[in-house]
Amino acid sequence: MFLFLICLWGHSLLDLCTNYGTRLFLPITNNAYALNNISIIDLVFTLPMLVMLILSLINKNGSQKRRFYAKTVLIYCFMYLGYTCGNKIYANHLFDKSLKETNISYEKRMSNPTILNNFLWYGIVANDSNLYITENSILFPKKDLNWTKFQRNKDYLDDYPDRLKVNTLKWFSKGYDIIEKKGDTFNFFVAKFGRTNMNETDAEKSFVFHYKLFHENGESKM
């Protein structure tokens, strides 16, 4: 039972470190909490632990080598997570400095490492009208950052009849969203997961988390 709880809560606490987040306090609250200090997939975090776990499993139960590798896995896990927190503090410092220099007005901001690593970070700020995003390396930081601007168009979905789908998407995006309209279809971009193409200013070519809201045969689809 104790081991089951460790696995369950250990997984939830790791999810808490990602920007996907986790509803840690269900059913008390439906809020998804996220520390945004590690990517959903980080090879530098996962691969060494996987190797040490395999080495632990192939050694006899109770042997010194097995205990050594098992302890090393835990030590590496906590040390790397601490390292990512330090990286986040430094990345936030770089983004805050740039925001002061560019005088961008914003109501909320977040930072997160890009996929597969903890060295290239992206920063996002949003106000009621616009969203701005940029990337910077903590290993080779740029002095002058280019913040790409996207219109949020929040009012596009104010009168959309399927409020459940709209509210679910807004809850998921946590206010880092962009909405575009093409004909009768609304494109909803969740920007909090960063860009796949950092040279594009077209939202459809930039953001991987992209949902379409439309009606088909009188029924709301997503």
Side-chain angles (χ1 to χ4, degrees), residues 127-169:
N127 55 40
D128 199 52
S129 303
N130 301 306
L131 181 144
Y132 302 83
I133 184 168
T134 192
E135 292 83 19
N136 202 4
S137 167
I138 62 167
L139 297 179
F140 308 100
K142 294 182 291 186
K143 292 182 178 179
D144 299 317
L145 298 180
N146 180 31
W147 292 84
T148 305
K149 177 181 175 181
F150 297 91
Q151 276 193 303
R152 293 187 62 194
N153 303 314
K154 288 175 59 179
D155 59 330
Y156 278 11
L157 292 175
D158 285 351
D159 298 322
Y160 193 79
D162 194 334
R163 300 314 302 170
L164 177 61
K165 288 186 174 65
V166 171
N167 291 334
T168 299
L169 287 174

Side-chain angles (χ1 to χ4, degrees), residues 59-140:
N59 282 280
K60 291 183 179 180
N61 188 25
S63 68
Q64 288 187 348
K65 283 187 176 180
R66 184 164 187 165
R67 285 196 294 269
F68 169 78
Y69 288 121
K71 289 178 182 178
T72 304
V73 167
L74 292 175
I75 293 170
Y76 182 80
C77 172
F78 285 108
M79 286 184 65
Y80 190 80
L81 289 175
Y83 170 72
T84 63
C85 290
N87 285 351
K88 183 175 180 64
I89 292 171
Y90 182 52
N92 283 343
H93 167 72
L94 295 174
F95 293 135
D96 288 343
K97 183 180 178 182
S98 175
L99 287 167
K100 289 179 181 178
E101 292 172 351
T102 52
N103 294 317
I104 293 176
S105 174
Y106 63 93
E107 297 167 2
K108 59 190 305 182
R109 69 163 176 80
M110 68 164 286
S111 63
N112 201 72
T114 56
I115 195 74
L116 302 179
N117 77 102
N118 204 262
F119 311 114
L120 180 63
W121 286 66
Y122 61 88
I124 303 178
V125 298
N127 55 40
D128 199 52
S129 303
N130 301 306
L131 181 144
Y132 302 83
I133 184 168
T134 192
E135 292 83 19
N136 202 4
S137 167
I138 62 167
L139 297 179
F140 308 100

Side-chain angles (χ1 to χ4, degrees), residues 159-222:
D159 298 322
Y160 193 79
D162 194 334
R163 300 314 302 170
L164 177 61
K165 288 186 174 65
V166 171
N167 291 334
T168 299
L169 287 174
K170 287 184 176 180
W171 171 84
F172 183 56
S173 69
K174 286 189 171 294
Y176 299 101
D177 48 54
I178 300 164
I179 303 165
E180 293 182 352
K181 186 177 180 181
K182 290 188 176 180
D184 295 328
T185 300
F186 295 92
N187 294 316
F188 192 103
F189 301 94
V190 181
K192 72 173 185 175
F193 295 106
R195 297 187 287 183
T196 54
N197 192 327
M198 300 172 191
N199 298 315
E200 276 288 345
T201 56
D202 185 343
E204 196 163 356
K205 296 178 181 178
S206 298
F207 300 102
V208 64
F209 276 80
H210 171 203
Y211 300 88
K212 292 181 180 290
L213 289 169
F214 59 96
H215 282 84
E216 186 176 77
N217 299 324
E219 184 180 352
S220 175
K221 300 280 188 178
M222 184 172 71

Side-chain angles (χ1 to χ4, degrees), residues 49-63 65-67 69-70 73:
M49 290 200 301
L50 179 61
V51 170
M52 287 184 283
L53 181 62
I54 293 172
L55 290 173
S56 173
L57 291 173
I58 62 178
N59 282 280
K60 291 183 179 180
N61 188 25
S63 68
K65 283 187 176 180
R66 184 164 187 165
R67 285 196 294 269
Y69 288 121
V73 167

